[in-house]
């Protein structure tokens, strides 16, 4: 439709007079808006945009849109050098149509404020008639409104274009960006400017959201282990789910992407599969106590959940292993799901969890002893009690007694004047996990044995016996049978601790788990860092299968995390392995060194570099890009392999 100002003005006059306007002379959405304004009884000659005069109300609106305002500041930093002196202003508007901020030449900004364009003015259709803000809200898409197309006469001095600002995560409307001019810019230019600025704000908001999510994740990882071992979700300020705990994923497949906000707190709809049981808010901008003020804005944090009336347990498949996993308690289902090679071990542990007898966990460093200890606690009758962990390998002889048993006031030089509980008292009603038990000094082993036999503790410097109800789980990577024979570990304590014993196999003995664990860790890394979905190449996976993994699952997770963060490509390759991986890369026990797949990482790297140079016509810069490594790294590798003249 060709735009003709006189025809549009005649159509407007007809609508104002209550007559029929020529539909061919004005755009349909403008005509519909005029008719709505006339139906409301709006006086086009006297009406002006309403201003929110109550300071408290305006402060609340600005507070609710704080992130939007911050993103607008970032966008204006990029736009100011070009448009600060132009004859247009940039107006940030809330999704309700309230103007939040105005940017542009100071004289023009002040002139606009006198004409009803500024912070606190309501430019919704109900308040200000037909305008770009109102039509964009009505159509949910960018629009232009010429001066003559405004319904109210007071607004006919402006040409306006507005574009929606959306949440890049879920597409929801966050606000609008309006560009208002005195006719100095073309329609297409003004609309393109509004859309570009809106997109810039969207990306700034997304960056702010990611930064806040990373803050939340870092805070969450420092929470007490028992908080992270429960069924819970980590959610952002708007209720968006950032990550969930393994225990929650193990008990249900009804995992939401976003929680509803009710009375300032995230929760679930009535009769949902899950119910919110408690809240732990992020302490940077809200009270740190779980019983936070329901009226205060939710700053993000942890929502502890339980099963609702419609909760569906995670469905099982038809394999025998899956049938066994379905019979497991929730904490052990999570372990079995990630490591099929541990199913038999997990089944034994699950049976052990149902008793209060001591358990001795043995296995190499990084094999998952603490993971099993936490699962034993979470699946036990004492799951509601505390889980207290103590690394005996870090204790000196002098410190070990006070840590385990506690001490009375003045028990020794430097002791607290109020005394202190020991780990046994802290774990009362729950589980005490003693890691690296083989490093415990012999003198302290005697005291530990007495507590296990009599179930009472006497603090250092005191004589009062205190009853304790504690389940002890001990762990070690040492050969305690040999230590007993050498006299460095008491035989009576050894047999008291190993009433139930569980040996965790090293990762090299269950190589079938490696591919599954790699994919599991990549999904966790995506949730943690938000760098997109990534997979591993077949060649890389084969090399990882051949690795001995002396650090077991802990080492595997660290390698996957490093590659996920540092690689820019969606498919991880041999070139993404950490530099020091070659130092420990060796065929796993039982593999054939002569087999083609057992060649060293150095040979594989050598072949990959030769192949890349060949494909790129021996152009080092292109080969480096193809391998996704820096040129300096490639030059270093060329020197190592004697290929400098290649």
């Amino acid at each position: 439709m060709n735009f003709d100002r006189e025809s549009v003005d005649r159509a407007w006059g007809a609508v104002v007079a209550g007559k029929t306007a020529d539909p061919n002379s004005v755009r349909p959405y403008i005509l519909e808006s005029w008719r709505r304004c006339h139906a409301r009884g709006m006086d086009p000659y006297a009406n002006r945009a309403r201003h929110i005069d109550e300071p408290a109300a305006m402060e609340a609106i600005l507070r609710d849109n704080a992130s939007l305002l911050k993103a607008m500041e970032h966008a204006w930093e990029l736009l100011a050098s070009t448009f600060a002196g132009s004859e247009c202003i940039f107006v940030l508007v809330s999704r309700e149509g309230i103007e939040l901020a105005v940017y542009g030449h100071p004289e023009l900004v002040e002139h606009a404020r006198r004409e009803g364009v500024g912070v606190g003015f309501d430019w919704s259709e109900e308040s200000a008639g037909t305008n770009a803000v109102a039509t964009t809200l009505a159509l949910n898409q960018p629009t232009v409104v010429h001066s003559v197309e405004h319904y109210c006469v007071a607004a006919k001095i402006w040409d306006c274009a507005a574009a929606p600002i959306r949440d890049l995560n879920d597409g929801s409307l966050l606000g609008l960006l309006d560009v208002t001019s005195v006719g100095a810019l073309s329609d297409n230019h003004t609309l393109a400017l509004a859309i570009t600025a809106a997109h810039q704000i969207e990306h700034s908001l997304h960056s702010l959201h990611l930064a806040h999510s990373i803050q939340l994740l870092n805070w969450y990882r420092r929470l007490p282990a028992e908080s992270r071992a429960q069924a819970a979700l980590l959610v952002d300020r708007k209720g968006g789910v950032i990550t969930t705990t393994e225990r929650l994923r193990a008990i249900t497949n009804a995992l939401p992407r976003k929680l509803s906000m009710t009375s300032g707190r995230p929760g679930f709809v009535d009769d949902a599969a899950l119910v919110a049981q408690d809240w732990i808010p992020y302490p940077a901008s809200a009270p740190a106590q779980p019983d936070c003020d329901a009226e205060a804005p939710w700053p993000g944090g942890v929502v502890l959940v339980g099963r609702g009336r419609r909760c569906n347990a995670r469905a099982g498949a038809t394999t025998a292993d899956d049938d066994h996993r379905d019979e497991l308690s929730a904490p052990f289902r999570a372990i079995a799901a990630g490591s099929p090679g541990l199913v038999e071990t997990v089944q034994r542990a699950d049976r052990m969890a149902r008793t209060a007898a001591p358990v001795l966990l043995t296995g190499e460093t990084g094999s998952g002893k603490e993971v099993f200890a936490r699962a034993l606690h979470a699946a036990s009758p004492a799951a509601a009690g505390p889980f207290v962990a103590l690394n005996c390998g870090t204790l000196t002889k002098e410190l070990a007694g006070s840590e385990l048993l506690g001490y009375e006031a003045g028990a020794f030089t430097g002791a607290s004047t109020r005394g202190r509980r020991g780990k046994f008292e802290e774990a009362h009603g729950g589980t005490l996990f003693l890691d690296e038990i083989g490093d415990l000094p012999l003198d302290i082993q005697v005291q530990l044995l007495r507590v296990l036999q009599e179930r009472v503790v006497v603090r250092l410097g005191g004589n009062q016996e205190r009853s304790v109800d504690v389940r002890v789980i001990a762990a070690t990577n040492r050969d305690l049978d040999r230590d007993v024979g050498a006299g460095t570990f008491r035989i009576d304590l050894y047999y008291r601790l190993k009433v139930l014993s569980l040996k965790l196999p090293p990762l090299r003995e269950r190589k079938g788990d490696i591919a599954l664990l790699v994919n599991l860790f990549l999904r966790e890394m995506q949730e943690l860092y938000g760098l997109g979905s990534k997979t591993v190449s077949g060649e890389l996976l084969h090399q990882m299968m051949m690795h001995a993994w002396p650090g077991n699952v802990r080492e595997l997770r660290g390698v996957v995390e490093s590659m996920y963060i540092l690689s820019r490509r969606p498919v991880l390759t041999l070139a993404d392995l950490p530099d020091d991986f070659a130092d420990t890369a060796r065929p796993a026990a039982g593999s054939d060194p002569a087999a083609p797949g057992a060649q060293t990482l150095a040979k594989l790297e050598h072949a990959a570099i030769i192949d890349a140079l060949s494909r790129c016509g021996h152009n080092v810069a292109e080969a480096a890009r193809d391998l996704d490594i820096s040129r300096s790294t490639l030059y270093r590798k060329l020197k190592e392999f004697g290929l400098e003249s290649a």
Side-chain angles (χ1 to χ4, degrees), residues 155-195:
K156 289 182 178 287
I157 61 173
W158 305 109
D159 283 325
C160 308
I165 300 169
R166 305 186 192 283
D167 187 327
L168 294 182
N169 293 309
D170 58 19
S172 61
L173 182 68
L174 301 176
L176 307 174
L177 192 285
D178 174 89
V179 177
T180 294
S181 73
V182 291
L185 299 176
S186 68
D187 295 343
N188 290 338
H189 190 169
T190 308
L191 185 61
L193 192 55
I195 293 172

Side-chain angles (χ1 to χ4, degrees), residues 330-407:
F332 286 108
R333 278 205 304 273
I335 297 175
S339 300
L342 285 176
V343 168
E344 289 186 10
T345 305
V346 165
Q347 289 170 348
R348 289 191 63 218
D350 195 34
R351 291 192 293 273
M352 294 177 182
R354 300 166 193 174
T355 74
V359 178
L360 178 62
L361 302 174
T362 59
E364 296 179 2
T365 297
S367 58
K369 295 185 291 294
E370 184 169 352
V371 172
F372 268 79
R374 292 186 181 280
L376 283 164
H377 169 72
S380 74
F387 177 92
V388 177
L390 178 65
N391 189 327
C392 301
T394 64
L395 301 178
T396 63
K397 178 180 177 180
E398 294 74 20
L399 184 61
S402 62
E403 281 291 314
L404 280 170
L405 307 176
Y407 58 83

Side-chain angles (χ1 to χ4, degrees), residues 5 44 48 87-89 108-117 123 130-131 145-160 179-185:
R5 290 182 177 274
R48 302 178 73 90
E87 294 188 30
C88 66
I89 55 174
L108 188 55
V109 170
E110 176 58 25
H111 172 65
R113 189 191 62 78
R114 292 195 300 268
E115 296 296 334
V117 177
W123 277 80
T130 307
N131 64 84
V145 174
H146 301 99
S147 57
V148 71
E149 291 177 316
H150 289 86
Y151 186 74
C152 297
V153 173
K156 289 182 178 287
I157 61 173
W158 305 109
D159 283 325
C160 308
V179 177
T180 294
S181 73
V182 291
L185 299 176

Side-chain angles (χ1 to χ4, degrees), residues 139-298:
L139 299 177
N140 199 26
Q141 66 183 39
T143 62
V144 171
V145 174
H146 301 99
S147 57
V148 71
E149 291 177 316
H150 289 86
Y151 186 74
C152 297
V153 173
K156 289 182 178 287
I157 61 173
W158 305 109
D159 283 325
C160 308
I165 300 169
R166 305 186 192 283
D167 187 327
L168 294 182
N169 293 309
D170 58 19
S172 61
L173 182 68
L174 301 176
L176 307 174
L177 192 285
D178 174 89
V179 177
T180 294
S181 73
V182 291
L185 299 176
S186 68
D187 295 343
N188 290 338
H189 190 169
T190 308
L191 185 61
L193 192 55
I195 293 172
T196 300
H199 286 172
Q200 181 62 48
I201 295 170
E202 289 172 345
H203 286 284
S204 293
L205 278 169
H206 189 58
S207 297
L208 290 170
H209 174 77
L210 286 177
H212 179 60
S213 296
I214 291 171
Q215 282 182 324
L216 284 171
L217 281 164
N218 289 335
W219 163 76
Y220 169 71
R221 296 175 78 178
R222 293 193 298 270
L223 285 177
E226 53 266 29
S227 297
R228 292 181 281 111
Q230 300 182 59
L233 310 100
L234 180 65
V235 301
D236 61 25
R237 293 188 183 105
K238 297 172 64 179
V241 176
I242 298 173
T243 189
T244 60
T245 61
E246 288 185 8
R247 185 167 184 181
L248 179 60
R249 292 194 292 271
I251 66 174
T252 180
N253 54 12
L255 295 174
R257 296 182 63 184
K258 188 172 184 179
L259 304 190
S260 60
M261 300 297 292
T262 306
S263 300
R265 286 179 175 178
F268 302 89
V269 297
D270 292 340
D271 197 36
L274 302 170
V275 293
Q277 295 180 330
D278 207 346
W279 296 264
I280 306 176
Y282 178 59
S285 55
Q289 294 79 16
D291 55 339
C292 62
D293 179 5
E295 297 302 318
W298 170 252

Side-chain angles (χ1 to χ4, degrees), residues 249-544:
R249 292 194 292 271
I251 66 174
T252 180
N253 54 12
L255 295 174
R257 296 182 63 184
K258 188 172 184 179
L259 304 190
S260 60
M261 300 297 292
T262 306
S263 300
R265 286 179 175 178
F268 302 89
V269 297
D270 292 340
D271 197 36
L274 302 170
V275 293
Q277 295 180 330
D278 207 346
W279 296 264
I280 306 176
Y282 178 59
S285 55
Q289 294 79 16
D291 55 339
C292 62
D293 179 5
E295 297 302 318
W298 170 252
V302 174
V303 180
L304 304 177
V305 303
R307 290 192 180 191
R309 285 173 286 179
R310 295 191 294 104
C311 182
N312 295 318
R314 186 173 293 279
T318 58
T319 67
D321 282 348
D322 285 342
D323 288 341
H324 290 311
R325 283 199 289 268
D326 289 342
E327 299 170 2
L328 298 171
S329 58
F332 286 108
R333 278 205 304 273
I335 297 175
S339 300
L342 285 176
V343 168
E344 289 186 10
T345 305
V346 165
Q347 289 170 348
R348 289 191 63 218
D350 195 34
R351 291 192 293 273
M352 294 177 182
R354 300 166 193 174
T355 74
V359 178
L360 178 62
L361 302 174
T362 59
E364 296 179 2
T365 297
S367 58
K369 295 185 291 294
E370 184 169 352
V371 172
F372 268 79
R374 292 186 181 280
L376 283 164
H377 169 72
S380 74
F387 177 92
V388 177
L390 178 65
N391 189 327
C392 301
T394 64
L395 301 178
T396 63
K397 178 180 177 180
E398 294 74 20
L399 184 61
S402 62
E403 281 291 314
L404 280 170
L405 307 176
Y407 58 83
E408 299 288 2
F412 49 84
T413 303
S416 168
T417 56
R418 293 183 298 177
R420 192 178 120 186
R421 295 189 306 164
K423 298 301 183 185
F424 270 101
E425 288 184 70
E426 289 181 17
H428 180 67
T431 300
L432 176 60
F433 174 53
L434 299 176
D435 198 8
E436 306 299 344
I437 189 69
D439 295 330
L440 199 64
L442 271 170
D443 291 351
I444 307 304
Q445 292 178 28
V446 176
Q447 299 178 52
L448 174 58
L449 178 62
R450 179 172 182 265
V451 176
L452 290 174
Q453 290 175 335
E454 301 179 13
R455 304 181 74 81
V456 296
V457 296
V458 177
R459 294 182 183 177
L460 299 185
N463 53 26
Q464 179 185 351
E465 293 187 344
R466 292 175 167 85
S467 296
V468 288
D469 179 15
V470 175
R471 200 250 184 102
V472 172
I473 300 174
T476 184
N477 60 1
R478 299 171 63 101
D479 183 347
L480 289 187
D481 283 313
R482 185 180 61 189
D483 289 347
V484 168
T488 58
F489 200 87
R490 292 182 62 94
I491 188 170
D492 46 4
L493 177 60
Y494 176 51
Y495 287 114
R496 190 74 186 93
L497 289 173
K498 67 170 296 187
V499 173
L500 299 172
S501 62
L502 194 69
K503 183 177 181 180
L504 305 186
L507 187 57
R508 64 179 175 274
E509 293 180 7
R510 47 190 179 94
K511 291 190 289 185
D513 287 357
I514 291 177
L516 191 62
L517 286 168
V518 168
N519 289 327
L520 174 65
F521 294 153
L522 285 174
R523 289 196 299 271
E524 290 181 3
M525 295 306 116
Q526 183 179 353
E527 292 180 5
L528 183 61
Y529 297 108
L531 300 178
S533 175
K534 297 184 182 182
T535 59
V536 296
S537 68
E539 192 176 31
L540 173 59
L541 183 59
H542 180 80
Q543 180 63 28
M544 297 176 84

